Amino acid sequence: MQKSKNAFTMVELVFVIVILGILAAVAIPRLSATRTDAEITKGRADIASIRSAIVTERQSRIIAGQTGWIANGTGADQMDEGGLFGGVLMYPETNIVANGSWSAVAGSGTYQFRIQNTNTQFTYDDTDGTFTCTAGSNFCDDLVN
């Protein structure tokens, strides 16, 4: 009687390891590209929300008899009340320097959105209510178009 051995041969194990290595080499670059795409998509959604909220706040002010746009600053009834964009957004952004997040120069109307460790700068102008990409990286076009 022959004994049956339940084991893999060395050739089979090497073959499986090679296949896993090839799959990993293909998948890892795709995952990093997907992360960047997700950060850009989040930034686009945030920018659209901020711009819409600025206009909505302006309309509320006109109904109340005030003609100006919401002011830059961090105090009551200002752009960054209670957190970034808290004067216009129901849920303000956290001021943090991290990929996919917003940071600001306090009260200046200058904001930065970070993608791939690169800051893209936005400016809020309280004289005409514009929130525009002004400088910083190649991501301006990706974020606003």
Side-chain angles (χ1 to χ4, degrees):
M1 288 200 160
Q2 273 187 333
K3 289 184 178 179
S4 176
K5 294 184 179 180
N6 294 329
F8 294 108
T9 66
M10 184 62 89
V11 173
E12 291 171 328
L13 291 174
V14 169
F15 186 69
V16 168
I17 291 170
V18 168
I19 289 174
L20 290 175
I22 291 169
L23 290 174
V26 170
I28 289 173
R30 287 186 171 264
L31 290 176
S32 66
T34 301
R35 182 174 180 88
T36 301
D37 291 344
E39 289 171 357
I40 290 171
T41 301
K42 180 195 181 295
R44 281 181 159 180
D46 289 348
I47 292 163
S49 295
I50 293 163
R51 287 177 172 170
S52 176
I54 290 169
V55 170
T56 301
E57 176 65 20
R58 166 73 170 176
Q59 291 169 345
S60 297
R61 289 172 176 271
I62 289 173
I63 290 171
Q66 301 169 2
T67 58
W69 295 87
I70 190 166
N72 281 320
T74 57
D77 200 31
Q78 294 182 2
M79 187 67 161
D80 295 329
E81 178 183 355
L84 292 185
F85 315 114
V88 293
L89 294 178
M90 184 179 291
Y91 302 106
E93 292 284 335
T94 304
N95 190 358
I96 185 170
V97 179
N99 286 334
S101 298
W102 290 92
S103 60
V105 178
S108 70
T110 301
Y111 302 91
Q112 295 176 341
F113 186 75
R114 193 168 182 87
I115 301 173
Q116 288 184 339
N117 298 321
T118 304
N119 291 328
T120 303
Q121 184 172 319
F122 289 82
T123 304
Y124 169 67
D125 185 351
D126 59 5
T127 60
D128 61 5
T130 57
F131 187 74
T132 54
C133 188
T134 53
S137 74
N138 300 331
F139 293 111
C140 258
D141 289 338
D142 293 334
L143 289 168
V144 296
N145 293 330

